[in-house]
Amino acid sequence: MTTPARITFAEVDIDPIAQTAGKVAVLVGADGKLDKGARRVNALMRKALERFVQSERFAKMKAGDAVELAFPANMAADGVIVAKTQNRSDVDEARKTGVSIAKLRGTGPLLVIAGTAVRPSDIALGIALRGYSFTDHKKDKGDAVGDVTLMVSKPEDASADYVAKAAVAQGVFFTRDLVSEPANVLTTTEFANRLVALQDLGLKVEVLEEEELEKLGMGSLLCVGLGSASPSKVVVMQWEGGNKDDAPLALVGKGVVFDTGGISLKPAGGMEDMTMDMGGAGVVAGVMKTLALRKANANVVGLVGIVENMPSDRATRPGDVVTSMKGDTIEVINTDAEGRLVLADVLWYAQERFKPTGVINLATLTGAIIVGLGHENAGVFSNDDTLCNAFLKSAVAEGEGAWRMPMGQAYDDMLKSQVADMKNVGTRAAGSITAAQFIKRFIQDGMPWIHLDIAGTASIKEDSAYAPKGATGWGVMSLNRLIADTVET
Ligand code: BES
Ligand code: MN
Ligand code: ZN
């Protein structure tokens, strides 16, 4: 990614406003009242701000929206950004305000006169999240963005609040970087190496290589990578910030660095998108990074299955029967339903080794979830109302779309196989639900569990609320909040 903007908080001071280059942003409530900083801008602009605020255009703006008044009189700035506020204590509105300002800011310096904003650190987070771009493989990386200063009434408090928010932004950026990388760069080995580097932040990281995975009996996960020159791996990341004896929460991610479909080859059109098929693992990695950066008071273990799904003379064939670590046999009807094969073994291993309090897995698992929910909501599948409702609440608070889907015996029945304990696909009907039912077979009795199908939300072709088009980092914020609200107490 390009170097993110440096964000600092300062005392409200009207003196430097006229000399500030780049953009100056002001927040104005729906009542149109101008605070001290805005009044200064208005005076410099010969009341142009006041005229705008009294106009029909301002009246029609929604809370969190912003417009730019170009080339203000008597100011060094080349634009004044006016953001409309309504409910200043609303997290989502504060972040959207930041996003709207970031969209208009250009690359020069930015001064935000936030004044008495209740959540300046969330405005800053919005600016940071929207400012991301992935230019690693471009010759022209664009101009570095200028520094951001937020003038606020309590700069020390805002700075202190922003420490945890900056950790979230770093985690989201880590996820976006991983998801954005092409598969020839982010090979299974490179992915594992980038996770091992998280050790510097105090995480314990282990890489289980193929030999160990074979010993553990992970025949389901291993069958996916047989066609690839890149070795399959499981990476275990442990954050031990909680009480020594408390069992951890487990996060498990699908990390298919590229999904050709294998012998059940995908059509050519759009196959390049399958470079994001490690999105679930990317989110797990992003959350672990955030927890470490903000030194979360919780025990969380992140496990990712990293494989590449390629066709070759050694690849798994449709009709092959493999044995999972759990001991159940699986008839592989379709080698393109590979994510669930990876998750089955990593989930089993996570439960056997860590006896976690709960398990949450993330995967770009099915095209069918995009048919059902589009790119607005991830599919949420769960066996536990308490954990599920807590997650949905966190997702609402963070503005990340999530929608619970049904499960049940009738769907599970669709996985019956003639030759093995189960097959890896159902029929075309309810494709996302049968995928969830498959995974559920590898969840131990009584274990609270959530499966998040993020095929529609991990990477999208249009700008979303907090992200420019491409990798979103969906889920990092919600999971971080879930951990903050339910594990750290
Ligand atoms: N990685 C894909 C799912 C996917 C599709 C992710 C589109 C992101 C965007 C997954 O491995 C897959 O191929 N699923 C199949 C399942 C089918 C064979 C039962 C699908 O959705 O078509
Ligand atoms: Mn697939
Ligand atoms: Zn896949």
Side-chain angles (χ1 to χ4, degrees):
M1 69 171 150
T2 45
T3 317
R6 221 160 47 96
I7 297 182
T8 52
F9 300 87
E11 217 65 71
V12 179
D13 176 5
I14 58 171
D15 291 337
I17 293 175
Q19 288 85 33
T20 303
K23 311 275 187 209
V24 173
V26 294
L27 312 185
V28 182
D31 60 8
K33 274 212 189 110
L34 304 183
D35 65 12
K36 189 169 112 190
R39 285 202 300 276
R40 171 70 177 160
V41 170
N42 187 45
L44 289 167
M45 293 176 84
R46 301 213 190 93
K47 301 201 172 174
L49 179 58
E50 204 177 311
R51 286 175 59 203
F52 172 71
V53 165
Q54 285 160 4
S55 73
E56 183 96 352
R57 243 183 105 192
F58 182 75
K60 283 193 173 145
M61 278 168 69
K62 289 199 282 295
D65 283 355
V67 297
E68 182 181 350
L69 309 180
F71 302 106
N74 304 316
M75 291 177 73
D78 57 36
V80 167
I81 298 170
V82 187
K84 186 168 181 175
T85 64
Q86 182 109 49
N87 176 2
R88 291 193 177 201
S89 56
D90 187 74
V91 176
D92 204 41
E93 180 185 307
R95 290 191 191 164
K96 292 221 163 92
T97 302
V99 167
S100 302
I101 293 171
K103 281 185 186 167
L104 296 169
R105 69 167 291 196
T107 53
L110 169 66
L111 172 66
V112 182
I113 309 173
T116 53
V118 184
R119 300 191 172 276
S121 65
D122 280 300
I123 297 176
L125 179 58
I127 294 173
L129 290 175
R130 191 56 177 66
Y132 175 89
S133 64
F134 185 75
T135 51
D136 293 20
H137 305 299
K138 285 184 186 242
K139 193 163 10 114
D140 178 7
K141 304 205 187 297
D143 297 332
V145 284
D147 292 347
V148 180
T149 309
L150 288 97
M151 282 185 178
V152 296
S153 51
K154 294 181 185 150
E156 289 80 23
D157 292 1
S159 292
D161 283 352
Y162 191 63
V163 173
K165 308 283 163 72
V168 170
Q170 291 302 306
V172 170
F173 294 162
F174 188 48
T175 304
R176 288 182 188 172
D177 280 351
L178 290 167
V179 172
S180 301
E181 284 290 15
N184 61 330
V185 174
L186 197 80
T187 59
T188 57
T189 302
E190 173 65 14
F191 195 171
N193 289 345
R194 290 194 190 187
L195 299 182
V196 168
L198 293 175
Q199 280 177 164
D200 296 350
L201 302 176
L203 285 157
K204 268 196 213 164
V205 186
E206 289 159 70
V207 182
L208 309 186
E209 303 289 351
E210 275 180 359
E211 211 177 297
E212 290 154 276
L213 303 180
E214 257 159 47
K215 272 194 213 138
L216 287 163
M218 294 200 189
S220 181
L221 178 142
L222 285 166
C223 87
V224 176
L226 291 178
S228 171
S230 295
S232 301
K233 294 166 197 281
V234 170
V235 179
V236 182
M237 296 163 271
Q238 287 176 262
W239 175 250
E240 294 171 331
N243 296 333
K244 201 176 154 290
D245 298 322
D246 287 356
L249 173 72
L251 305 177
V252 174
K254 166 181 173 181
V256 177
V257 295
F258 195 77
D259 180 13
T260 63
I263 298 298
S264 312
L265 194 64
K266 286 181 182 297
M271 200 203 277
E272 68 278 8
D273 292 344
M274 285 304 116
T275 179
M276 54 72 104
D277 209 22
M278 34 53 66
V283 173
V284 171
V287 175
M288 298 311 292
K289 180 164 184 172
T290 295
L291 296 177
L293 283 172
R294 68 176 184 81
K295 303 207 167 21
N297 183 11
N299 295 335
V300 180
V301 54
L303 300 102
V304 294
I306 303 180
V307 304
E308 186 175 41
N309 189 19
M310 295 288 258
S312 95
D313 59 334
R314 286 151 295 134
T316 295
R317 294 156 287 253
D320 284 2
V321 174
V322 298
T323 304
S324 65
M325 181 182 171
K326 180 186 175 191
D328 288 359
T329 58
I330 303 161
E331 182 188 8
V332 180
I333 298 290
N334 189 324
T335 63
D336 197 12
E338 85 297 341
R340 61 199 78 181
L341 297 173
V342 173
L343 288 172
D345 280 339
V346 185
L347 283 165
W348 195 258
Y349 177 74
Q351 294 165 96
E352 287 288 292
R353 175 167 168 195
F354 293 105
K355 308 284 175 224
T357 56
V359 183
I360 302 178
N361 74 258
L362 297 103
T364 50
L365 203 65
T366 65
I369 203 69
I370 309 176
V371 177
L373 299 176
H375 302 284
E376 309 304 321
N377 284 283
V380 181
F381 302 82
S382 182
N383 63 356
D384 186 280
D385 291 350
T386 308
L387 181 63
C388 188
N389 289 337
F391 177 78
L392 291 171
K393 199 173 146 207
S394 303
V396 168
E398 295 292 331
E400 293 183 320
W403 196 259
R404 190 168 183 180
M405 302 284 288
M407 298 190 71
Q409 189 58 45
Y411 299 108
D412 181 80
D413 289 343
M414 296 175 185
L415 298 171
K416 281 187 182 144
S417 160
Q418 289 276 329
V419 297
D421 297 328
M422 72 193 86
K423 54 184 183 176
N424 76 330
V425 293
T427 58
R428 239 175 71 81
S432 301
I433 306 178
T434 53
Q437 294 291 161
F438 181 94
I439 294 170
K440 184 169 180 285
R441 287 181 175 229
F442 297 88
I443 298 300
Q444 298 175 352
D445 282 346
M447 178 62 65
W449 160 74
I450 300 176
H451 152 53
L452 298 168
D453 191 338
I454 60 169
T457 54
S459 178
I460 54 191
K461 298 212 181 315
E462 258 140 59
D463 290 6
S464 60
Y466 298 128
K469 58 174 161 277
T472 61
W474 182 99
V476 173
M477 296 198 293
S478 300
L479 289 167
N480 176 62
R481 177 176 289 262
L482 178 76
I483 291 161
D485 289 353
T486 67
V487 184
E488 299 175 79
T489 42

